[in-house]
Every structure is written in C-alpha cells, then in structure tokens.
Amino acid sequence: MRLRILFTVLGIAALAASGLSAAAPGTASAPVTVDAVDYAYAMPTTVKGGVVAMRFRNKGRELHEFAFGRIDPGHTLAEARRSFETGKDTPWLHDLGGPGLLTRGSEIEITRVLRPGTYFFLCGIPDHKGVSHLERGMLRSFTVVGDSGRKLPAANAVITAGKRRFFVPQLSAGSQTIELRNRAGAGRGFQLTSINPGKTEADVNRWAKAIETTGKQPRGPMPFTILGAMQTIPSGTSVYLKLDLEAGRSYHLSDDESGIEADFTPR
C-alpha cells in the first residue's frame, strides 16, 4: 500500500485568512514527543501501545512531513525505504495516515490506538535545492510494545466527516480536545490550514505553484500555516486532536482526496 506523501498541499484552493495556534501541552501523562528537525526525527525508540498520545513538533527551518506507516514482521525499514523509492505496492507496508505536513514552529497533539509492532515516520518533501528529505535520511522507525493503560480522552467537541461534507459544530475558543470522526464510508483526511496575517490566497497559490513547477521548496517564510491533523482516518474510526482555538479566528478544514472542505470560527 502506498503512503500518501506531500503535495496534498498543492491542491489547496481556498484557505481561511487567520493564524493557527500551537497545540496545548497535555495535562495527563506526558505524550510521546516526535520532533522533526533538518533532516531527522527525534523521538524514543520504544513506545507503549494501546491508546497513544503523540505531540508532533516541527523544530526545523523547513516545512516537514510526518507520513506514518507500519511494517509487518519479517521486513525492515531499509526494505520499506526501497519500496517507497521504487513506487512499488507492498502488502507488508501499511499506510496509517500521520499528521501530515507541519510548518516551521507548528505543534499538534494526536491521540489514537496503536497495536504492538514496528512503525515509522518519513518525510518525502523536497528541500530548497530540490533534494527529497528522504534522500537526506529523514526516516525513523520505532517499536510499539505492551499497553500504556491510557484511556481515550473526553472530547470537548466532535467534527465528523460524511460522504459529501464535514459536520462542524459551533466550537468554543481555548484549549480543548476535538474528536475527528470519520463516518464517510471511505477514508477521509482532516487537514487544518490558514493564511498568515498580511498574506492572501494569491500568495498561497504562488507558493504552491513554485514548489510544483520547480520541485524545490521556496525559500523564505511560507504565506500560510499548515498544522496537520490527519492525512487519512479509516471509515468508522476516530482520532483525537488537541489544540488551542482562538476566538474570532477562521480555520479551514479540508480533505484533498474527496474535495470536501469547511471553514469554522470559534467563539
């Protein structure tokens, strides 16, 4: 199964003109921290399974990706890399949908269920010279063992993906946990983005066009913020997103594969 790597960002047509806040720190047992730097992931080699909370942070200078997969027993990370680079579908390599792209300085926390096994993160986007971060070695495996004993968090609100639309309730401002629930009958992504203050949709389109036509990540600050969420959630399942919503800010939610999208503004 092929991993969904990058360039969903290039399909963005309309973003809400606002800023996104970083995810609020956990108040229960500390989440597992996964930091993206230029060009590696810093995280533990072993993680307790069951209900797992992970805090993702982009600590690098560039845009980075947290594509997420699982490798079946009997196979290795080196094999997974070769499979990805050759573009071959392999039944032992599973796309789990990660938080996706995070811009520099962004942070997000996701809680989901992970069974014991071997997992990995990778970043397939190009640097400023057009060299893939994967070619630069941005690939990291880790092992999930046992059971954390952690419970799924209580959600302050639920955002549901249906067949043709997102159902977004009126959300309150402040730090909270949102259940991202998929009831579409097929996989759905939840991608949160926003245009940065002083920038426009035209600025976003120029940035996207530049990376699309040159294969290089444009230099300088990005005109919009990408705060991940989830690349794909299987139908009938949920993950939990923790973040701080700002009153009066407009947020844009999209799934690039189905084309559904929604805007919301917390009170």
Side-chain angles (χ1 to χ4, degrees):
M1 184 176 184
R2 298 293 299 124
L3 292 174
R4 278 168 276 272
I5 307 292
L6 182 63
F7 301 124
T8 55
V9 64
L10 301 179
I12 293 174
L15 302 174
S18 67
L20 283 174
S21 299
T27 56
S29 57
V32 176
T33 297
V34 184
D35 285 342
V37 297
D38 307 324
Y39 300 95
Y41 296 101
M43 66 171 296
T45 57
T46 303
V47 172
K48 282 288 187 180
V51 176
V52 181
M54 286 186 164
R55 179 183 297 140
F56 299 94
R57 304 186 298 188
N58 184 349
K59 293 288 191 177
R61 297 184 299 274
E62 299 180 16
L63 174 68
H64 284 300
E65 181 180 28
F66 296 82
F68 189 34
R70 188 182 75 246
I71 304 170
D72 283 348
H75 297 277
T76 66
L77 184 64
E79 288 179 285
R81 175 170 180 166
R82 286 195 296 272
S83 176
F84 172 70
E85 291 176 333
T86 58
K88 293 182 178 179
D89 288 332
T90 51
W92 49 266
L93 184 61
H94 306 277
D95 176 8
L96 300 185
L101 299 166
L102 270 73
T103 43
R104 177 181 179 180
S106 292
E107 178 179 323
I108 195 170
E109 186 176 318
I110 293 288
T111 300
R112 65 192 299 183
V113 176
L114 296 178
R115 62 180 176 84
T118 300
Y119 296 78
F120 66 92
F121 291 108
L122 68 81
C123 181
I125 72 172
D127 65 11
H128 299 310
K129 296 181 179 180
V131 179
S132 164
H133 291 179
L134 179 60
E135 291 182 54
R136 292 189 175 275
M138 198 161 181
L139 175 70
R140 172 67 183 267
S141 66
F142 65 99
T143 303
V144 173
V145 298
D147 193 321
S148 67
R150 194 182 185 111
K151 304 297 182 183
L152 288 171
N156 301 103
V158 179
I159 295 177
T160 303
K163 289 185 179 180
R164 297 179 178 84
R165 57 170 293 193
F166 286 111
F167 297 88
V168 184
Q170 177 58 60
L171 298 171
S172 300
S175 178
Q176 59 198 278
T177 297
I178 300 173
E179 179 184 350
L180 304 178
R181 180 185 296 170
N182 182 3
R183 296 294 183 269
R188 287 289 184 269
F190 294 75
Q191 184 76 40
L192 279 171
T193 53
S194 103
I195 295 176
N196 292 336
K199 300 298 181 179
T200 66
E201 182 182 333
D203 295 321
V204 174
N205 290 335
R206 278 192 292 270
W207 188 95
K209 185 67 173 179
I211 193 172
E212 183 180 19
T213 56
T214 68
K216 300 178 182 179
Q217 193 172 151
R219 294 186 181 276
M222 290 177 59
F224 63 114
T225 296
I226 307 174
L227 200 60
M230 283 296 295
Q231 289 174 316
T232 303
I233 300 175
S235 182
T237 66
S238 298
V239 301
Y240 294 80
L241 165 68
K242 189 173 185 179
L243 76 167
D244 189 15
L245 295 174
E246 296 184 26
R249 297 283 189 180
S250 180
Y251 296 80
H252 185 76
L253 182 65
S254 64
D255 171 45
D256 297 295
E257 291 193 10
S258 68
I260 64 172
E261 58 186 3
D263 296 296
F264 62 92
T265 303
R267 293 177 181 171

